[in-house]
Amino acid sequence: MQKSNKPIAGYHLLMILSSVDGEFAPEEGLVVQQYLADEFPFKMNLDNELETIALLQPEEWKDHFEFHARCFYDDSTEKERENFIKFAKTLIKADHKVTDEEHTFYKLLKNMWKLN
């Protein structure tokens, strides 16, 4: 897999976080849209990225998530990672329920970035 830049990696992370519970809630979609507006002030075509994510099988999510977590880490400061973690928490709470799968991936990200 080719290394992603920070905004693209963040998009992959958020999309997987929002999908691991088997449901992409509208409230989660609004949070992802906010991320896109913040990170991509210009019009960006993410169709290829979305297709890549959509074609992943559930058993591939963890490896894909870890890969993009490393990409984001490589291109970010500690403060940016702390802010992203807060944003990710907002995402998984957006539909007013945090599933075990969402919590597992959220904790994985925190652990990978040593933000415990």
Side-chain angles (χ1 to χ4, degrees):
M1 212 176 328
Q2 183 177 343
K3 184 179 183 313
S4 292
N5 64 32
K6 183 181 66 178
I8 296 289
Y11 175 69
H12 280 254
L13 294 170
L14 293 175
M15 290 301 289
I16 290 174
L17 270 172
S18 65
S19 300
V20 294
D21 62 355
E23 178 185 347
F24 186 77
E27 302 90 345
E28 293 169 331
L30 293 174
V31 175
V32 172
Q33 284 181 346
Q34 182 60 52
Y35 175 79
L36 295 175
D38 292 345
E39 292 296 319
F40 299 100
F42 48 89
K43 181 75 172 145
M44 180 78 177
N45 184 344
L46 295 171
D47 289 348
N48 290 340
E49 304 303 325
L50 185 56
E51 182 179 2
T52 297
I53 296 163
L55 292 174
L56 291 172
Q57 297 302 309
E59 61 271 10
E60 298 172 305
W61 287 346
K62 184 174 181 280
D63 287 343
H64 192 82
F65 190 83
E66 289 175 341
F67 173 80
H68 285 283
R70 287 188 296 274
C71 291
F72 192 101
Y73 184 92
D74 289 346
D75 290 350
S76 63
T77 65
E78 184 174 355
K79 185 71 175 161
E80 288 170 325
R81 291 187 294 278
E82 289 170 355
N83 289 337
F84 187 86
I85 281 291
K86 289 176 189 170
F87 197 82
K89 190 174 207 173
T90 301
L91 173 74
I92 64 174
K93 290 177 150 188
D95 62 357
H96 306 290
K97 63 180 186 233
V98 177
T99 66
D100 290 342
E101 295 87 358
E102 288 170 325
H103 184 70
T104 298
F105 275 74
Y106 174 77
K107 291 294 290 177
L108 172 64
L109 189 58
K110 283 185 76 171
N111 290 335
M112 287 183 71
W113 291 352
K114 298 173 181 61
L115 295 175
N116 296 325

